[in-house]
Amino acid sequence: MGDLTERTMDVKETRYKLTLCDGTACIHNHSKAVQQALETELDKHGLKDSVSIHLSGCLGMCTKGPILIVNPGYIMYGRVQVEDVPEIVESHLVNNKAVTRLIITEDHLYNRFFRIFGDVDFFGKQMRIALRNCGIIDPENIDNYLSLRGYEALAKALETMTPGQVIEEVKKSGLRGRGGAGFPTGLKWEFTANQDSDEKYVICNADEGDPGAFMDRSAIEGDPHTVLEGMMIGGYAIGAGKGIIYIRAEYPLAIKRLEKAIASAREHGLLGENILGSDFAFDIEIRLGAGAFVCGEETALIHSIEGHRGMPRPRPPYPSVKGLFGKPTLINNVETWANIPVILLDGADWFNTVGTETSKGTKVFAVAGRVQNTGLVEVPMGTTLREIIYDICGGIPNGKRFKAVQTGGPSGGCLPEHYLDTEIDYESLAKAGSIMGSGGMIVIDEDSCMVSLARFFLEFTQDESCGKCTPCREGTKRMYEILTRITEGQGQPGDIEKLQRLGEMIKHSSLCGLGQSAPNPVLSTIENFREEYEEHIQDKKCRAGQCTALLSYTINDKCVGCGACKRVCPVNAIEGVRKEKHRILQEVCIRCGQCYEVCKFDAITKA
Amino acid sequence: MTELAQDKMTTLREFMAEVSNKDYAESYLIAVLHKTQELFGYVPRQVMDEASEALQIPTAHIWGVATFYHYFNLEPIGRHTISVCMGTACYVKGATQVLDVLKKELGVEVGKTTEDRLFTLQEARCLGACGIAPVIMIDDKIYGELDAKKTVEIINQYRKAAAESRKV
Amino acid sequence: MSQMITITINGKDYRVEPNQTVMQAADTLGFKIPRLCYHPKLSIEGACRVCIVEVEGQRNFVASCAFPVSDGMKIKTNTHALRRARRDIVELIIDNHPMDCHTCERDGNCELQRLAASMGIRARHFAGERKRYEEDLSSEAVIRNPEKCILCGRCVRMCSEIQQVHNLTQAHRGFQTVVMPAYDLPMAESVCTACGQCINVCPTAAFVEKNYTQELFEQLNDPERVKVVQFAPSVRAAIGEAFGLPIGQNMEGQLIAALRKLGFDYVFDTQFGADLTIMEEANEFLERLQNKGTLPMITSCSSAWMKCLEQFYPDLIDNVSTCKSPMSMQGAMIKTYFADKMGIDPTKICSAAAMCCTAKKYEAERPELMFDGMRGVDVVVTTREIAWMIKSAGIDFVNIQPEKADHPLGLSSGAGAIFGATGGVMEAAIRTAYELYTGQTLVDIEVEGVRGLKGIKEGSLTMDGQEIRVAVAHGLGNACKLLEVVRQDPQRYHFIEIMGCPGGCVGGGGQPYAAINTIPLDDKALKKRAQALYDLDRGKTIRRSHDNPDVQKLYKEFLQHPLSSVSHKYLHTHYKAKLPKGIIPKEAKKIEVTQ
């Protein structure tokens, strides 16, 4: 077959490579006649030199023969008859449009990645639906996307489905919003479609502000067209003529790829008037964010597009009723849009077979922290945390012990060891005291202080709070102050109760999701790691050794008196004579840790 | 108020004229601010005043938007950012003196940019290089064990490099 | 009327109208859910989170000011969890607020204080860093103190949605959010029109008027000075509220007596100045009408409107009357006519004015209003300030025996009295203009068409076959809509009255704070105050400005005749375009006046 990876992207030598199964069953079903018909047809279209035909051994899928594989794109046609050949040549080889009715049903879109990289453990255990094309196409070349059945879903929708049928299919699939809230996507589409308005909008939320999250960035950088196609289908389904992608300014490459993709789509008549010959008109515009995490929240995002400060507003009314410029608006996350073409082509019924009872499909997780392999992991819902952290990401390096995993970004909870076998879906994570969020997953080992971590996340949410509502603006500040005191050894009895009281109030009283979930890291670490808080407050100790104010450095008996630490101490806190055990003056020591770093004899104890 | 490059202002004015003809023109305010930052490195007040006229948006509104989004610089940023570490180790070893020398030499306060737009002076929390305190960081290079003389020498190095690059 | 629906509040069923919020429905049923950022005239923020309630089926608490009712909704307003949450939320506000109630202008009259008391906050659990900002003392009229701001956003919404001045914004974000004009400019350098409505809606002392009471007390205690005071119509209609009296009680006599007890040598009535203004303005209008001068003519007594004109509508400067405001005309006469008559050296006069208005403080300092190197008015104090001075000086305002104002600048007609209500200036002008033009008495002198709280009022009358079309707008937001009509259709009106404050001067930025059972800008309160002035008008025998014998005497002895060169010197002024230029967004200028 040759080097498939290379051939996928290289269309210089031959434009298409056809592989015809030459096994007995296919021959019995007239594959030779098909071959001849192909040769004739190619000659007719002058494609003899740019399309090559190869014969393979028996593929073993005998009930579906004759089988014809078209590359680039791995399209697998089944039960190909001589009468089908002219259509295949004209539609697929000349016009880049695969013949859907002939594609075998087992040929799912996610399979292409697996075909190439399935032997790499990290990839082989994943199931890449949203990220199906990332890494195997040139994202700046629309032809690549087209060759992998790109825009076929849009064509199917426009040519063979009513908007209502499209919505039914999305509803049937069970797809839930991948931005974090997990709202049933089909329902949202239905609400927006049911609104009576001359102007409607479709928005892609590409504001991905969670620190440690880069799923959306990668999806856009690797496969911008899938997002566009999803939005077009959404626009058709709800009756919108305009789509807007709101993307953060800190993603210049993704922005560039989107701009290019939109331009190509326009050139190919896939955006603009009379798309694919129908009377559906749709165009997409890019709007940039400007450094405000809160603009990932629906109503704040809308206000940002409208040219205002990105501050949320009370709901109802929901954006599906009154959204951008007061019109019905459908907002979905990048990953949600990326799933739409797959649902239409592979079918809602198939999509239903992936995932759990309540959460269908896959989810992309950005795994970071203390794991062997950090990166993007797309797995079916229902996969356990253990499988992701250990099987796919290789477990905790340096022989350290697993301590906790934080899911859902800065709004999520920290789950300790006994949750590792949780089958991930929206409900199970919520039940465990965390959230799915947009898919961030931070693995924490024994060297991390949970109190310090909670404080770190609160610092982020405090910085990003829009300031509109009292609980979030003032409450998170006070929580942060208490946590800072605790990490600096100034914790007082009653602090934990204060944190819980404030945290519960902020959770239930805040105006938007940012405030409602900001206390989660704190509340879940108190729930699951209360001892650490108590140690910080009562014993002034940090068992992970991270809170510098609670550390003390002492020289133990291993000291040989080399004086290296004394030389490096910036405040002259170490005294001692050469060749004799030195001593650190605790009142002077500022706990910078330089002595610990330079000691070659393990003679300094950090506790 | 500094003079803004006329060619850049023309580009910006053309952009503002273009967006003011679109539907919901006021919604392009953030796009205008982005363009401004792209051209000037920050958002000058004169530009906000002009945008107010061009897009018919009250200046208070523009100010509210520009200050909300942390991406936008409201003050010019120098070519090099000097961060003076004010962590305990550096403090004890004379960071305040280093800061004073810099303030005097550059003629700016903390958070401000020099007239020639070469340096912005910032304070930083612990940079983690306590062994060579006191420490400053210029862009991403660390300079340690400083005194007044060394500090000025380093500044002059950058000034020289900037002058050379201008000649090229 | 739409179908009523059933909701359950705290276990009991109620039938209510649909299409309203939980708070609105609850308000009609005898509940008063605690609130802070909500105001019925401003857009809904849902920001303070004090008005939270529990709604069955909702995961979290919802803001009752924003959540719509629906059939079968089950609401709880007073559970333990809610009470605790509300208490904590109000404590959080206080934790970021100065602890100086007893030395604050709004001690005893502060919405935050009242709310905190009702929450029962006895300890502060969460105290930490408190925000520190400098006070902005730059403006002559409105002081800004961001440390007292609780970020309810009412001032921003008031300034933008109702006044359409758009001077204020919330800047920065999160804990660093501050309310300020563009570029953090001092108020004096911003497009602020000094209307003071921000003070009216502010629940704390984050906005207050510039306080001149100390200065005035010093003047009053200075034996070398001749202390003269005038007071506006709207002051007498509202000052009673500051002493706990019901809204709409006319306290003219008591106020005059109290002012004398304070130490003023002469107490004059701005209503006299109003009559004088009508003389000048009616004649000016007729002159334009007859000599094809610039029409429509627009009134100029509202100083917030004047600042707005110069910054936002410089193209309409020629339309505006050159007359000074009644206060400034009165002030000019005090230092010339009166001083001369009494043989007093005008430089020894302290000319004070008690006004319902904060912008008058700005007006008094305008250099264009000076004459012979003097200011007409030296000190302006608001109704609030004068009420405080009376209390502070130990005067029994409620029980004092009423007195009458001094001559020669104290007598006024009913037309002068109604100046405080929206439409009043127009009505007063019509009463005089009609008679001057036609030579006949206008019998129906109460012109109903220009009375009332509708934002823009239109009317017309016929004078000797000539149709005169008039319009009245109150609140700068309504003014801007009306002026947009004028720009597009200059023939539509002949004469326009604009008052900068909603309700007219009775709703001015210097009026007493809303008492416990009302809210700022309450329509009922505005109507009652206006009614006090209309009743005052009805009770007078002289109801037309030109019938005022003291005014006639003033012309005979000094001014000669309306629009004379003497009048022009002391009673008229000029305006010019000023920076900063204000922008009014397109949305605000959408015209609603029907053909």
Side-chain angles (χ1 to χ4, degrees):
Chain A
M1 281 270 193
D3 183 344
L4 294 173
T5 333
E6 237 185 285
R7 294 299 184 211
T8 325
M9 312 225 285
D10 173 9
V11 291
K12 275 196 301 251
E13 293 179 1
T14 53
R15 224 175 108 210
Y16 279 107
K17 233 183 176 81
L18 306 180
T19 308
L20 207 46
C21 178
D22 205 30
T24 323
C26 287
I27 293 177
H28 175 76
N29 279 319
H30 314 298
S31 64
K32 287 290 180 208
V34 171
Q35 181 181 355
Q36 232 160 17
L38 276 170
E39 280 162 2
T40 316
E41 207 57 35
L42 287 175
D43 200 17
K44 211 159 90 179
H45 285 268
L47 291 171
K48 230 186 157 139
D49 291 324
S50 55
V51 179
S52 57
I53 303 181
H54 306 261
L55 298 177
S56 78
C58 176
L59 274 170
M61 197 181 220
C62 307
T63 45
K64 297 278 171 94
I67 296 209
L68 172 66
I69 302 172
V70 182
N71 269 309
Y74 297 102
I75 313 289
M76 249 196 190
Y77 290 122
R79 300 213 175 96
V80 179
Q81 301 299 307
V82 167
E83 308 83 76
D84 298 322
V85 170
E87 191 186 344
I88 291 176
V89 173
E90 168 118 29
S91 177
H92 192 157
L93 304 182
V94 176
N95 292 319
N96 246 335
K97 200 176 155 196
V99 182
T100 314
R101 64 177 177 82
L102 289 172
I103 300 177
I104 62 174
T105 50
E106 289 81 356
D107 183 358
H108 295 300
L109 282 162
Y110 80 91
N111 265 331
R112 275 144 195 82
F113 193 93
F114 189 79
R115 278 181 199 138
I116 302 170
F117 299 114
D119 57 339
V120 177
D121 266 350
F122 181 74
F123 293 117
K125 296 189 170 139
Q126 297 188 34
M127 184 180 186
R128 294 199 155 195
I129 296 184
L131 300 178
R132 62 191 176 283
N133 295 330
C134 296
I136 61 172
I137 60 165
D138 173 1
E140 298 192 15
N141 186 342
I142 192 175
D143 287 327
N144 275 195
Y145 184 71
L146 289 168
S147 73
L148 293 182
R149 304 182 70 189
Y151 289 108
E152 196 183 313
L154 175 67
K156 182 175 177 189
L158 292 178
E159 288 161 18
T160 69
M161 298 169 87
T162 63
Q165 285 169 329
V166 173
I167 295 177
E168 276 313 304
E169 195 70 6
V170 177
K171 274 173 81 176
K172 207 162 44 141
S173 74
L175 179 67
R176 291 168 68 169
R178 295 289 190 254
F183 190 83
T185 308
L187 262 186
K188 203 190 244 193
W189 287 33
E190 196 173 54
F191 290 151
T192 327
N194 287 345
Q195 299 303 316
D196 207 355
S197 174
D198 52 338
E199 241 178 276
K200 289 187 190 177
Y201 294 94
V202 161
I203 295 182
C204 171
N205 184 346
D207 193 52
E208 195 169 58
D210 282 5
F214 57 105
M215 303 74 69
D216 295 345
R217 175 175 67 74
S218 306
I220 295 175
E221 284 176 9
D223 189 10
H225 283 284
T226 187
V227 176
L228 301 184
E229 189 179 358
M231 289 174 74
M232 292 176 211
I233 295 170
Y236 173 68
I238 67 159
K242 187 98 182 276
I244 294 181
I245 302 178
Y246 184 85
I247 181 169
R248 44 192 314 233
E250 293 87 339
Y251 282 173
L253 181 57
I255 296 168
K256 175 171 148 235
R257 296 253 157 99
L258 276 173
E259 285 170 346
K260 264 199 142 148
I262 292 173
S264 312
R266 283 200 191 119
E267 270 165 34
H268 280 70
L270 293 158
L271 282 175
E273 306 285 320
N274 302 115
I275 296 174
L276 292 176
S278 72
D279 46 21
F280 175 55
F282 193 74
D283 206 346
I284 297 181
E285 199 184 302
I286 298 176
R287 296 289 194 112
L288 300 184
F293 169 73
V294 66
C295 286
E297 196 277 338
E298 288 189 329
T299 53
L301 193 156
I302 287 176
H303 287 157
S304 187
I305 297 180
E306 290 175 344
H308 301 307
R309 290 159 65 84
M311 292 164 74
R313 61 162 173 78
R315 280 148 297 157
Y318 289 93
S320 44
V321 173
K322 198 166 167 207
L324 184 60
F325 305 126
K327 308 291 181 190
T329 304
L330 173 61
I331 305 188
N332 276 131
N333 170 268
V334 169
E335 200 182 324
T336 315
W337 291 121
N339 274 288
I340 299 293
V342 175
I343 289 174
L344 255 62
L345 288 182
D346 284 339
D349 288 331
W350 172 79
F351 198 80
N352 260 296
T353 64
V354 183
T356 68
E357 194 52 48
T358 60
S359 312
K360 301 294 179 192
T362 56
K363 181 76 191 77
V364 183
F365 293 98
V367 185
R370 307 287 172 92
V371 265
Q372 205 80 261
N373 301 314
T374 61
L376 292 182
V377 174
E378 184 172 359
V379 287
M381 297 277 198
T383 307
T384 64
L385 287 163
R386 191 185 297 277
E387 281 174 283
I388 294 180
I389 294 170
Y390 288 94
D391 295 347
I392 299 180
C393 293
I396 320 291
N398 301 329
K400 297 284 183 179
R401 258 187 319 110
F402 170 89
K403 191 169 189 182
V405 59
Q406 213 234 7
T407 67
S411 330
C414 296
L415 304 176
E417 201 168 352
H418 59 268
Y419 285 108
L420 275 176
D421 293 304
T422 310
E423 289 175 0
I424 302 179
D425 72 11
Y426 291 98
E427 276 64 41
S428 68
L429 284 176
K431 204 156 143 235
S434 185
I435 55 174
M436 177 84 72
S438 59
M441 196 179 275
I442 317 267
V443 181
I444 300 156
D445 73 7
E446 58 187 280
D447 285 342
S448 290
C449 170
M450 299 314 283
V451 183
S452 186
L453 186 69
R455 176 176 172 267
F456 171 77
F457 283 119
L458 210 53
E459 189 172 355
F460 175 78
T461 28
Q462 241 286 298
D463 200 42
E464 296 293 336
S465 167
C466 76
K468 181 166 175 174
C469 77
T470 316
C472 177
R473 179 185 74 237
E474 308 283 340
T476 55
K477 173 87 177 176
R478 303 306 169 204
M479 285 182 80
Y480 179 71
E481 284 171 348
I482 295 172
L483 282 166
T484 304
R485 275 194 295 106
I486 295 175
T487 55
E488 288 176 355
Q490 308 290 327
Q492 278 152 32
D495 274 349
I496 298 179
E497 287 70 27
K498 273 192 197 169
L499 285 171
Q500 285 177 311
R501 178 168 165 162
L502 268 176
E504 288 299 325
M505 183 276 285
I506 296 169
K507 244 183 105 141
H508 293 294
S509 315
S510 292
L511 173 58
C512 84
L514 190 153
Q516 285 159 6
S517 54
N520 283 349
V522 181
L523 293 176
S524 79
T525 47
I526 291 179
E527 173 78 26
N528 295 314
F529 300 95
R530 197 189 175 104
E531 333 75 62
E532 277 192 54
Y533 279 86
E534 283 167 350
E535 278 167 18
H536 278 72
I537 295 171
Q538 276 140 30
D539 310 327
K540 309 293 185 218
K541 275 228 147 351
C542 171
R543 64 163 77 165
Q546 214 184 325
C547 298
T548 48
L550 301 181
L551 289 173
S552 53
Y553 291 91
T554 43
I555 296 181
N556 59 42
D557 289 334
K558 293 194 194 142
C559 175
V560 302
C562 72
C565 57
K566 188 172 167 184
R567 277 193 292 279
V568 95
C569 176
V571 293
N572 297 326
I574 304 182
E575 59 177 24
V577 171
R578 265 181 65 82
K579 300 254 174 87
E580 279 178 31
K581 180 174 165 191
H582 283 42
R583 191 168 83 94
I584 297 176
L585 300 163
Q586 292 301 320
E587 332 75 71
V588 187
C589 171
I590 58 163
R591 293 152 173 82
C592 68
Q594 293 296 304
C595 54
Y596 187 78
E597 299 293 317
V598 303
C599 180
K600 293 196 190 7
F601 298 95
D602 231 353
I604 303 204
T605 312
K606 179 167 91 162
Chain B
M1 204 70 74
T2 47
E3 275 300 308
L4 296 174
Q6 274 316 294
D7 55 336
K8 291 183 179 169
M9 276 311 292
T10 313
T11 314
L12 186 61
R13 282 182 189 129
E14 280 166 14
F15 184 74
M16 291 199 285
E18 187 194 319
V19 298
S20 56
N21 286 327
K22 296 196 185 199
D23 283 340
Y24 303 109
E26 322 78 55
S27 71
Y28 290 92
L29 174 59
I30 293 178
V32 169
L33 292 175
H34 268 297
K35 193 87 186 159
T36 308
Q37 176 128 324
E38 197 187 296
L39 290 166
F40 297 102
Y42 73 113
V43 182
R45 199 181 125 179
Q46 295 140 265
V47 170
M48 287 194 265
D49 281 336
E50 266 202 50
S52 172
E53 282 285 335
L55 300 170
Q56 287 293 292
I57 300 175
T59 46
H61 180 98
I62 298 181
W63 179 248
V65 169
T67 53
F68 181 85
Y69 295 98
H70 285 182
Y71 192 86
F72 299 125
N73 300 323
L74 299 169
E75 304 257 315
I77 293 282
R79 204 192 309 183
H80 303 290
T81 303
I82 305 175
S83 301
V84 182
C85 179
M86 299 305 272
T88 326
C90 291
Y91 180 76
V92 163
K93 281 277 201 153
T96 337
Q97 285 89 318
V98 171
L99 184 61
D100 286 339
V101 163
L102 282 167
K103 281 191 201 171
K104 190 149 157 268
E105 181 65 28
L106 301 174
V108 289
E109 287 300 314
V110 173
K112 298 291 181 198
T113 305
T114 54
E115 276 287 328
D116 58 8
R117 302 268 217 106
L118 193 51
F119 297 107
T120 299
L121 182 62
Q122 301 279 17
E123 279 179 7
R125 285 182 245 163
C126 182
L127 291 170
C130 318
I132 51 171
V135 160
I136 65 173
M137 186 164 80
I138 304 188
D139 302 328
D140 41 19
K141 270 173 100 167
I142 299 267
Y143 298 89
E145 291 178 317
L146 297 171
D147 55 31
K149 184 153 164 271
K150 280 196 201 145
T151 309
V152 176
E153 264 168 28
I154 294 169
I155 296 295
N156 284 331
Q157 271 172 36
Y158 277 84
R159 281 177 173 152
K160 192 154 161 246
E164 311 257 287
S165 70
R166 264 196 295 271
K167 285 187 209 145
V168 169
Chain C
M1 205 186 66
S2 36
Q3 281 288 345
M4 303 278 269
I5 58 171
T6 307
I7 61 173
T8 311
I9 302 185
N10 299 340
K12 273 180 90 169
D13 286 351
Y14 298 93
R15 300 280 290 162
V16 296
E17 301 274 349
N19 302 322
Q20 56 178 334
T21 61
V22 170
M23 183 187 273
Q24 285 170 323
D27 278 350
T28 63
L29 299 169
F31 292 95
K32 192 140 182 145
I33 301 171
R35 64 203 70 179
L36 207 40
C37 70
Y38 171 74
H39 192 287
K41 291 205 171 162
L42 305 171
S43 68
I44 294 171
E45 287 270 283
C48 66
R49 312 310 285 179
V50 173
C51 71
I52 43 177
V53 293
E54 284 180 26
V55 171
E56 203 180 90
Q58 291 292 318
R59 201 167 24 143
N60 295 317
F61 301 145
V62 299
S64 55
C65 65
F67 206 77
V69 288
S70 61
D71 196 30
M73 185 178 277
K74 294 194 173 37
I75 302 155
K76 297 218 179 93
T77 64
N78 205 22
T79 61
H80 176 76
L82 278 172
R83 290 178 61 80
R84 197 180 220 204
R86 279 195 205 126
R87 179 235 164 263
D88 283 352
I89 288 169
V90 177
E91 191 208 305
L92 284 174
I93 296 177
I94 292 183
D95 287 331
N96 205 1
H97 196 85
M99 289 278 109
D100 64 354
C101 289
H102 294 305
T103 48
C104 174
E105 293 85 351
R106 291 198 72 161
D107 187 22
N109 224 326
C110 167
E111 283 187 52
L112 181 62
Q113 225 179 19
R114 278 185 225 139
L115 193 60
S118 75
M119 294 286 139
I121 298 173
R122 293 286 164 256
R124 292 173 57 219
H125 302 306
F126 312 117
E129 182 190 326
R130 186 162 70 73
K131 59 187 185 239
R132 303 276 176 195
Y133 297 107
E134 284 192 13
E135 266 185 292
D136 177 356
L137 301 165
S138 63
S139 161
E140 314 92 341
V142 179
I143 303 295
R144 197 166 70 83
N145 188 352
E147 275 186 31
K148 301 207 172 161
C149 176
I150 60 170
L151 293 172
C152 67
R154 280 194 206 164
C155 55
V156 178
R157 285 177 280 156
M158 180 74 199
C159 191
S160 301
E161 293 166 17
I162 298 199
Q163 296 295 75
Q164 293 296 343
V165 173
H166 298 267
N167 180 44
L168 296 171
T169 180
Q170 287 188 341
H172 306 293
R173 69 178 190 220
F175 198 75
Q176 287 78 34
T177 311
V178 198
V179 170
M180 60 170 75
Y183 315 128
D184 202 9
L185 286 171
M187 289 283 271
E189 293 172 36
S190 69
V191 298
C192 170
T193 58
C195 71
Q197 292 306 308
C198 49
I199 303 176
N200 273 349
V201 290
C202 181
T204 65
F207 278 104
V208 288
E209 64 264 65
K210 188 130 191 216
N211 199 302
Y212 288 96
T213 54
Q214 276 309 106
E215 193 185 311
L216 192 49
F217 266 130
E218 274 166 37
Q219 296 278 317
L220 287 168
N221 285 326
D222 184 351
E224 302 290 312
R225 310 288 283 159
V226 177
K227 284 88 68 172
V228 183
V229 70
Q230 53 168 310
F231 60 99
S234 304
V235 178
R236 75 203 71 197
I239 191 170
E241 296 166 40
F243 292 88
L245 294 171
I247 303 173
Q249 220 167 295
N250 172 17
M251 303 296 282
E252 179 182 312
Q254 290 89 335
L255 180 55
I256 294 171
L259 288 168
R260 286 211 179 94
K261 281 209 162 34
L262 263 180
F264 285 102
D265 300 310
Y266 298 94
V267 180
F268 293 136
D269 193 340
T270 312
Q271 281 170 192
F272 175 94
D275 283 335
L276 190 55
T277 308
I278 291 297
M279 294 304 295
E280 294 293 319
E281 198 149 345
N283 278 285
E284 186 188 1
F285 172 65
L286 293 175
E287 209 231 359
R288 290 194 197 189
L289 187 64
Q290 285 157 329
N291 301 332
K292 297 220 192 308
T294 316
L295 291 179
M297 190 171 97
I298 311 178
T299 60
S300 57
C301 13
S302 168
S303 20
W305 155 232
M306 286 300 99
K307 191 158 195 282
C308 180
L309 167 80
E310 289 174 317
Q311 288 169 189
F312 293 73
Y313 299 97
D315 53 311
L316 297 177
I317 286 180
D318 287 336
N319 289 71
V320 168
S321 157
T322 54
C323 290
K324 290 184 183 177
S325 69
M327 176 187 89
S328 290
M329 285 197 182
Q330 183 94 335
M333 293 301 95
I334 287 171
K335 296 219 177 162
T336 52
Y337 174 64
F338 168 71
D340 198 50
K341 222 179 203 288
M342 306 297 283
I344 302 172
D345 173 9
T347 60
K348 290 231 160 24
I349 295 180
C350 167
S351 166
M355 292 284 134
C356 42
C357 172
T358 43
K360 291 279 177 242
K361 293 181 191 258
Y362 151 79
E363 179 185 315
E365 303 210 3
R366 280 181 72 110
E368 298 92 332
L369 298 174
M370 290 179 75
F371 50 91
D372 301 335
M374 291 189 291
R375 280 168 56 156
V377 178
D378 300 306
V379 182
V380 177
V381 288
T382 60
T383 315
R384 297 182 198 116
E385 285 168 277
I386 202 76
W388 177 81
M389 287 179 77
I390 293 172
K391 288 177 193 169
S392 183
I395 296 169
D396 186 3
F397 184 73
V398 172
N399 295 314
I400 205 173
Q401 284 301 309
E403 294 177 17
K404 285 208 167 346
D406 289 310
H407 288 281
L409 304 174
L411 186 67
S412 61
S413 74
I418 60 178
F419 254 61
T422 165
V425 177
M426 180 60 68
E427 199 176 318
I430 288 173
R431 290 182 191 180
T432 296
Y434 182 88
E435 301 194 8
L436 285 178
Y437 189 74
T438 62
Q440 291 164 356
T441 317
L442 177 64
V443 178
D444 290 324
I445 59 168
E446 287 182 11
V447 185
E448 278 300 324
V450 296
R451 296 189 178 191
L453 289 177
K454 190 151 154 263
I456 300 176
K457 294 165 277 188
E458 286 183 303
S460 70
L461 66 143
T462 322
M463 302 198 310
D464 263 358
Q466 161 105 33
E467 193 207 12
I468 306 291
R469 293 180 297 279
V470 302
V472 172
H474 59 110
L476 290 172
N478 290 317
C480 92
K481 289 200 178 66
L482 183 58
L483 294 170
E484 200 55 30
V485 174
V486 169
R487 274 179 174 152
Q488 294 189 12
D489 183 9
Q491 310 294 324
R492 195 184 167 95
Y493 306 109
H494 297 92
F495 196 6
I496 292 176
E497 174 205 290
I498 289 181
M499 289 195 185
C501 297
C505 309
V506 288
Q511 294 288 58
Y513 291 119
I516 299 180
N517 293 322
T518 69
I519 56 167
L521 313 178
D522 183 26
D523 279 353
K524 287 201 290 285
L526 292 173
K527 281 207 182 93
K528 286 192 184 146
R529 290 177 188 165
Q531 193 57 42
L533 297 175
Y534 288 126
D535 290 343
L536 179 56
D537 166 41
R538 271 228 185 125
K540 287 189 187 264
T541 38
I542 305 170
R543 299 184 70 187
R544 302 166 180 73
S545 300
H546 53 277
D547 288 339
N548 184 336
D550 281 356
V551 168
Q552 290 163 355
K553 204 160 156 207
L554 171 59
Y555 277 106
K556 197 146 137 236
E557 292 178 5
F558 183 53
L559 296 172
Q560 296 161 23
H561 59 87
L563 308 179
S564 72
S565 58
V566 188
S567 297
H568 269 287
K569 180 171 183 200
Y570 295 112
L571 305 179
H572 288 257
T573 181
H574 57 273
Y575 305 99
K576 62 174 191 284
K578 285 216 175 84
L579 287 171
K581 187 166 182 315
I583 300 280
I584 295 184
K586 278 179 258 182
E587 272 300 307
K589 298 196 268 205
K590 290 230 179 91
I591 301 149
E592 283 156 17
V593 181
T594 51
Q595 274 298 331

